[in-house]
Amino acid sequence: MKSTYSTTELAQMLEVNESTIKRWTDSGYLECIKTKGGHRRFPIRAVLKFVHENRMSVPAIEKELLIDRELRAQVVAGDIRSLVPEFKAAMAAGNTSDVLRILRLGVAAKPDLLTVYHELVFPPLAAIGASWARGETTVDIEHLASQSIREALARLQSELYHKPANGKTALLACHEHEQHDLPLRCVNQYLTSEGWRTLFLGPQTPTDSLVFSINRNRPDLVVMTSIVIEDERRFIHDVNHEIVPALRKLGGRLAIGGPGVARRFTGVLKADFLSESILEYARIGDARLMEAVRA
Ligand code: B12
């Protein structure tokens, strides 16, 4: 499914003339955005809304969405939480193409990527983790889910709108024993779409390698995940005595995200941001704010 349609494509899909589409747009029935060259582009969300409001039946869209009418109405209204059960089932089955399809739908319904991660991507992961902890799900399901979401996020990347480069660099890494890199991948994708240059070191990054990379790449921001900390003393030592001093020398900042990090580590870790929700990256990843802090 595409995220926007041209006038020609939409006319074909709705089986009307292009002039009808233009008329609907000019009279405000159908929302569109204009490209720099003045061409109309129709975001899928606007198309869904129009189709829904006018009770139209469009087989081409219905085939792509594969969801029932009620669900479609909720998605049109921007309620992507209604997609969670279907998303979870696709993840648990390792069905990457379905995971990608629903992810696209989420992005079409809610152009704010952080909300898509927060409301659509994380809840099924948390639910799968909880049923694994209760002994109701085997670890292979967790692996399939992780793999399908990782692949779907990678495939989505080229379809996302990217703001022009903002001249900032972010380095993203998990601490030495940390394997949970999915939230970090989401932050990576978000920052890239905001115009950051990102360098993704991924799971289990040795601290000396991270420090080496900081010195070599001089990032404006380092983002780390802390979900499972096997050796808390070591983690605190590495952050406060290795990572933060290396970054400070270059004027960079450190953000650490994960469940309960602010509660556990405020006043303990010398990071600039301790975030318990990915939504906080709207502020942390705002390059203008970062500039203002530096000035
Ligand atoms: C997928 C998964 C794995 C995958 C990781 C794949 C990958 N590449 O990421 C694999 C299979 C490798 C794995 C391994 C393990 N896992 Co695991 N895993 C998970 C699972 C299901 C999802 C992880 C995830 O992406 N969470 C992200 C979201 C879903 O978490 P969330 O808390 O809702 O996030 C909110 C906030 O906390 C915050 N947030 C969380 N992280 C971050 C990070 C950033 C940067 C930001 C900004 C915000 C943020 O944002 C969200 C809200 O907006 C979780 C379940 C869970 N609840 O997280 C278990 C879970 C984290 N795993 C767990 C465990 C125990 C393990 C293992 C130790 C199991 C084992 N015995 O081998 C190992 C090894 C871990 C290690 N050393 O790193 C436990 C941790 C319990 C604990 N706190 O100690 C969990 C919670 C499962 C459970 N219910 O018991 N795991």
Side-chain angles (χ1 to χ4, degrees):
M1 186 173 59
K2 300 166 68 118
S3 55
T4 62
Y5 295 93
S6 67
T7 306
T8 313
E9 288 167 334
L10 191 61
Q12 278 170 3
M13 205 159 67
L14 302 183
E15 295 173 356
V16 294
N17 289 327
E18 289 186 29
S19 56
T20 309
I21 299 284
K22 285 181 185 142
R23 201 177 61 247
W24 284 341
T25 315
D26 293 342
S27 49
Y29 292 134
L30 179 58
E31 280 170 51
C32 76
I33 45 178
K34 286 247 171 99
T35 63
K36 276 191 190 141
H39 297 290
R40 294 178 177 87
R41 285 281 178 278
F42 300 89
I44 177 77
R45 178 158 187 223
V47 176
L48 283 170
K49 187 164 168 264
F50 182 77
V51 166
H52 177 70
E53 280 170 358
N54 292 286
R55 295 189 164 72
M56 294 167 96
S57 172
V58 184
I61 295 186
E62 278 156 22
K63 202 171 131 237
E64 284 194 16
L65 297 186
L66 285 173
I67 51 176
D68 63 42
R69 274 185 168 275
E70 201 185 321
L71 202 55
R72 204 161 54 236
Q74 284 169 301
V75 172
V76 169
D79 176 15
I80 56 171
R81 286 173 212 256
S82 55
L83 295 170
V84 168
E86 200 191 344
F87 198 51
K88 183 177 165 226
M91 278 166 82
N95 186 340
T96 306
S97 53
D98 257 11
V99 170
L100 180 60
R101 177 179 60 78
I102 302 166
L103 201 52
R104 281 177 177 145
L105 194 54
V107 173
K110 270 238 157 48
D112 167 22
L113 272 180
L114 294 177
T115 308
V116 173
Y117 306 137
H118 185 69
E119 293 185 0
L120 182 61
V121 177
F122 288 176
L125 280 170
I128 289 170
S131 65
W132 170 78
R134 290 194 300 270
E136 293 164 9
T137 301
T138 47
V139 81
D140 56 309
I141 301 287
E142 199 163 289
H143 283 221
L144 280 177
S146 311
Q147 179 56 23
S148 54
I149 189 68
R150 186 166 37 232
E151 213 177 305
L153 284 171
R155 281 161 60 180
L156 183 74
Q157 186 71 40
S158 61
E159 300 170 18
L160 294 174
Y161 172 73
H162 289 80
K163 288 189 185 165
N166 63 18
K168 304 272 175 220
T169 299
L171 195 62
L172 300 98
C174 295
H175 188 239
E176 302 199 337
H177 299 286
E178 177 70 81
Q179 291 179 21
H180 301 92
D181 70 336
L182 289 173
L184 209 56
R185 281 178 190 272
C186 295
V187 175
N188 186 50
Q189 185 164 72
Y190 170 72
L191 291 177
T192 312
S193 74
E194 286 293 299
W196 289 69
R197 178 174 83 106
T198 66
L199 299 160
F200 186 77
L201 303 184
Q204 298 176 302
T205 305
T207 299
D208 54 357
S209 300
L210 175 56
V211 170
F212 184 77
S213 195
I214 290 172
N215 288 325
R216 192 164 53 174
N217 296 300
R218 309 175 73 84
D220 301 275
L221 178 68
V222 169
V223 186
M224 296 181 74
T225 298
S226 129
I227 294 187
V228 169
I229 303 166
E230 287 191 0
D231 183 343
E232 192 168 306
R233 275 181 53 184
R234 175 84 190 270
F235 179 61
I236 295 168
H237 169 272
D238 286 1
V239 168
N240 288 351
H241 299 287
E242 308 282 344
I243 299 163
V244 169
L247 253 179
R248 291 275 189 272
K249 259 191 268 163
L250 304 168
R253 319 188 90 205
L254 176 65
I256 302 178
V261 287
R263 182 178 38 79
R264 283 171 74 186
F265 295 121
T266 299
V268 177
L269 287 176
K270 294 180 181 162
D272 301 280
F273 310 99
L274 294 173
S275 56
E276 297 194 5
S277 166
I278 198 158
L279 296 177
E280 291 173 43
Y281 277 78
R283 180 175 57 90
I284 299 170
D286 187 331
R288 287 162 310 168
L289 279 184
M290 192 156 280
E291 228 25 88
V293 171
R294 279 198 173 178

